[in-house]
Structures are given as structure tokens and as C-alpha cells.
Amino acid sequence: MRAKLSLFLALVLVLALVGPATADAPRVETGAGEWGGLVFVELTGRPLADGGTLRILDGEHGSFQAELGRSGIKVKPRYAYKSLFNGFSLEIATADLAALARLKGVKAIWPVVEFPIPELFTSTDMLRVPDAYDEFGYDGAGVLVAIIDTGIDYNHPDLGGGFGPGFRVVGGWDFVGDAFNAGDPANRTPYPDPDPMDINGHGTHVSGIVGASGTTRGVAPGVDFLALKVFGATGSTTADVMLAAMEMALSMGADVVNMSIGAAYQWPQYPTAVGADRLVNKGLAVVVSQGNNGPQGLFAGGAPALGSKVLAVASFDNTHAAGPIFRLPDGTPVGYNHMTFAPNLPTAGTSPEVVYVGLGNSAADYAGKDAAGKVVLCSRGVEPFRHKVLMAQARGAVACVIHNNAPGNFSGTMGEPGDYIPAASISLADGIAIRDLVAAGPVTLTWTDEKMSFPNPTAGQISSFSSWGPSPDLALKPDLGAPGGSVYAPYPLAKGGYATLSGTSMSAPHVAGAAALLLQANPRLNPNALADTLRNTAVPQNFNPLYLLAVHRQGAGMADVLAALTAGARIEPSKVSLGEVTGPAAFALTIENKRDTPVTFTLSHAPALATNNNILSPGLALAYATAAFPAAVTLAPGEQATVEVTVNLAATTWLFGGYIRFTPDDGGPVLSVPYCGFRGDYLAAPVLGSGPYAFPWLASLVGSSYFKAPAEGLTINPQEGEYAYILFNLFRQARKVRVEVLNAATGRAHGRVLDIDYMGRSSANTAFFAWAWDGSGRNGPVPAGTYVLRLSVQKPLGDDDNPAHWDTWTSGPVTVIRP
């Protein structure tokens, strides 16, 4: 089978920063030289999770290693996989990727993408967890939850106070070491060890939401944990490390896996998404954060969240925000959040005078204001938080407090460790109050060690950061939602013990905890039935008092633990992906009565808001579908019935959806099934983007700058390491990306030199992929001469044989010299 080069093989995603250049050579900065790639090598046989055998897998692995040795290709091995994936991960030079793909037994090559550590009292009430505990007493006892994250501070009293047998964190592994950071070439090599202690804090917070028991109480305070540490103290990890941790979760007997991690803009076919699906096939419930890329528009979900069988969780803002406080001169409490990586504010005494400096981004903001020895107050906006804090620090400030520029507070980070002054965030209302006091005269603050809970003005609303769906193949994502905005939970003892953080990283563990409660109630519940139950009983949330939030932003709605435990019925499928529709669309729903008594369900339809075709900034539309279905269905105990539903949307918009509701006559929970479809021609929109820099480009790389080639083209000497580059932007995900080499004079083809399946979209219209051509054709180096490169990009769900389903571009001439 011809190998595929998939996604980032010789590709680097960078933000285009335009700088001054010569008039005939526009320039963009890459910030990186030649890319040394980490790749998955997928072999042809099925992994163990899909029915493969060790004998066959061992043979394939041995044969590949022998082929690799004979080839002379230089690689640095990282991981070997047999359970959830058949193959290896390797570090390899970009120039050797084509040769690697040609080796016998190679099915596909995928990029090992980076996974950043996601940035970050009352949340369980929103899921009705206390009500469920009061009624049934379930706490998740006997359920083992694997936390694939930054580790766990297992010494935290709320998480059991120890590590190993007899403690709640019963086992684990550090796959990378504290110094590991995939984004830093000097610290990219993993150094595993048996101690999964959390240095960062993210994994401890996630674990606390799942099952803290002590000062705070998680969703399932009786669960045990596996701490599978895949991050160092800071920075990012890689997909091959993630996949290794997933295989260990399977081998160590986990019942539930929580991954508050993701790589955005992916496809369901990416190895971590497929691996997560295979975990479900092996009987594990897998819960994943949908992602924190809400501002980047549609199709922003990540892998592994896009796996077809995993529960991808969106985020709603918490009803309250709990955390530390300081007090104003009249004693009024002001709640704040610590800035990650900055020292905490003092917990006793009186502050120096407060000085307000506006945005605090530039010297002009500080004009006429003395910040030396004072507390700087500034407003969120324009520049990163780290920039604002360092500006204050450079002017002698002893602390920096940043107020929000929208209602409520926020969780901020310095982005990286450093030597900073104490820094914190506060709400817009509190910031304005302090500014008014400062305008009237000198103001000081009273530092305290108190903690309080404050109402959140955006309570119950979708969190602004929560990523939009659906999947690029129009599968409905996310699956459901949970509180993720302003969640108070345990944090490493070395960092204060507790913190308020925000992110879909915080919403996913609420659902993982809910899964544990359902498994305690019914240990024989398979993960697909568990997912159906949670989706059936979730509660769709409003965008405002008049309209339901778009289905492809919230999935089935807010998880409801009490309803899941008392549903008494199950509907399959529990979500419906209509795909592209041009008229009425029909689907069937099967409902089973699991009660001991007959019940009649009344059916109804609740349409939700639609979105238009602006991928990067989707606009909402009142494009409601109509639905036809039986008025009611009556079921005896244990009886099933299938109902036919037809939905129709007359308007031509992009993405639309709604909910088919089943209301029982016995007062039980209302069940619903979300549906989502695309009305119009999904293949009409382009995939190749142009943006403000008029991509694609033929370019050369000089230092850290790409220079656009002039009309007469480029000349390269591959033997001297000179390459030609194609720079291109993807407006949306691409099913295939191909590059062919053609003789410029005769049109003779020298083969396809790039053949990518399932490529993620660009994050912005100023972002681009860069692919290097080294003067080779399909079968090796081309003779000296002049060539053009033809880039072909297939649209999602496109047909190989339909030219209208491809965007194409042909480069200017590239002259290859071979001295």
C-alpha cells in the first residue's frame, strides 16, 4: 500500500508576521529554520485493540526495523505501539520523510503534533451532583479514573495524601520528566521516571474536579486515580507521548480516562482520536475537553476530542467564582485570581498606594505616573498579561493587578516561568470601583488570607473560549457541556493548595466524574450506553432568554447527573449528524423503556440558532428548521419503539440544528436528541485561503525569513541545502493535499512528492503552512532543469474524480542546478 504523508510532515504552521523587504520580495517571518519532524509511522496490520495478534505485530515491527536499517535513513526512535496503534514514533530530518514513506510495510506517516498545557465550590450544583448524592449516595467508589495530564500532587489531602497501594492515587507514571517541553528543542527528549508528581498544577486541578474529598468535594469523591504525567513543568507535550499514556491507561485497568488536552483544528482520523475510540471499544469511558479555541471560529475542535466514540465536553461558565480576596479601605471584599507563574499577592498587611495606568502597555500609559514601590492597576486588553506585568515591574511596582474588560473575572497566565512581581486578575466591576477611589485620592488595599465565593455575571452561559464544532466531516461535536469557567479546585500544595481556573480542561473532568457515578450505579454499563445516557439527559442551554444556543457549540447541553441516574429510558442514536442537506432530512430514533411501569412520551421540537459561513468569525442566524414526528409514543416495561423524524430548513445557511425532546408522563427526566446539519453546498467554499498576504507563495528561506519569489522564479542547488518552499493557508480542513512536480517546458510529470490525508485548517488568515521541496521527484532527484510545483487541495467530503472539489495552484518556475 502506497504510504501517505499526513499533515505536518514537511510542514510547519507559523503565524505570518510581515516585515519590511525589498519592493519585489514580500517577506514573512517564520521564527524557525529547517523543521526536524517527529512523526508516527503507521504499519499495515491491525493493532491489538482492533483484533490484531502479537505474532503478526511483532513480525511487522521487526520487518520495518530491518527495512529502516538497510535504508540508511537516520532516525531517533521514541515509542513503539501495538495496543491502540500499530507502529512507531520517530524523530527524523525533513529531507528523509519521502524515503521513509517509501519503505515496505508503511501504511501512513502522521505528524506528532504538539499539545500545549491548556491555559487556564458551586460547579457540581450545576450538574445536580449533590442531589444525586443525597438520593443515592453514589460517590464513584470502586471506579479507577486515569488522568492523562501534568501529573497529580498526590500529597494533597483532598486527593488522598499519598501515592501507591492504599492511597487514592494508586499508581501512575511520568512519561517525560519535569524539564520536558516539546516546544524547546533543548528539552524535547523525554526522560521518564516512576514519579508522576505535578509541578505545573493543571492535572491536580483536573483531578480535584473529578474526585476531591476534603476542603473541596469533586463530582465523584470516592474514585481512585492513575496519574499519567505527559507534560513537564511548563510548555507542551507531543501526540506520541499522549498515545503511549493511553496505552498504559488500558494496560493498568482504568475504567474512565480523562484527557483535558487537545490539538485544535484536527480530523477524527488523527492517531490520538482513533486511539481514544479504540479505548472505548475496549470498554473504557473516554472524556476529552473540546478545546479552548472559541475565538478562532468553526471546526475548531481538537484531537482526541473529535474521536467518534469519545465524549467531547464544552464549557459553561460557573454560577460563582471562589477564590482569595483583598479588601478595599471600607472593608469591601475583592475576589481575585492568581496569575499563573507569577508570585501570589501577600496574605497579610496593608498594600502600598495603588496607581492606575490604563492599559499599562506602553510608556505613554505611565506618563506622569510614578509606579515605583506601588501596586499597579491596569486594564486587560491588546497586549499579553506578561507584557503588562513586566512593564509595571520595570517601573519599580511591587505588584500588578489587571482588571477584566468584560463582565466577570478571568484566569490569566504569564505564559512561562520567570522572575515576576506578584500579579492577579479581578473583575471589571471591581476594577472600575478601585479606579474611582484612586481618582478621588490615595488608596491602599488590605491583604488577607480569606477566601470567598462571588456570583458570576455570566453564569450558565457558554464560555467564550469553548471551541465550536462540528467536525470537518460534519459529525456533531461537542457532545455535551459542563462547568468550565471559573472553577475552584485543588492545586499543588507548593502553589497554595487551591485555585480558580477556567477552560474546557475544567469541564471535561466534571463529565468524567459523572461517568464514574454511573459506573458505580451500574458496573456493567458499557461506554457507548453511558455516553448515550449522558447525552439523552443533558439540558440544552439558551444563548439568551429567547433562543437556544447553537447545537454545534454546546452539543446535547449541560450534563445532569441526577437525570442520568434516574432516566429510566434510553434513546439511540443519542445525537444525529445530518451532514450536507438540500431538502428534508429523515432519521430514525429508537427509544427503550427501562422502567417497571408503562410510560407515554410526548415528542416536541426545540430548534436552536444557526450560524453563517464565516468560518473564522461565525455570525448567528435565526434559521430554524421545522420537524415532523409522531405526537407521542407509549411503551410497556422493557419495550422499544422506533420513531421517524423529518427535519427541513428552507433557508440556505450553513450550520443549523435543534433537539427532539421526549417528555415522559410520569414526571421523569425529559430526554432529548440533538441534531446538526449543513444546509447548502458544503463543497462550494474554497479550502485554499488567500488572506492579507495573497497566499499561496513560492518562496525561499533566508535565515528566519521566507521571501516571496519574483515572477521569474527561483534557482536552487539541493546539494547545497537550497530548497524551494510553498507557503499556503487553509481556510478550512483539507481532505487531501498533494504536490506534483512538472517539467516547466514539456509538462512531463515527475510524480507526486507530497500526498497528505486529513490536514487541519489554519488558525487564522495570517497563518500558513510551509512545505520544502528538495529537488526530488517521486523516484528520487530530478535532473537539472526547470520545473513547476502544482499544489492541489481537496475539500472536505470531496470526490477524487470531481475537479470542482479541488482547489489548485501552480507555482512559478524553479530551476534546479546540479554542479
Side-chain angles (χ1 to χ4, degrees), residues 705-718:
S705 299
Y706 290 111
F707 287 88
K708 186 176 182 178
E712 57 268 26
L714 296 175
T715 298
I716 63 171
N717 181 354

Side-chain angles (χ1 to χ4, degrees), residues 17 26 68 104-105 154 342 385 389 400 429 501 579 588 602 615 682 696 699 753 798:
L17 304 175
L68 183 63
K104 183 179 178 181
Y154 45 74
F385 306 127
V389 173
C400 182
L501 298 180
T602 301
I615 288 181
Y682 186 49
V753 291

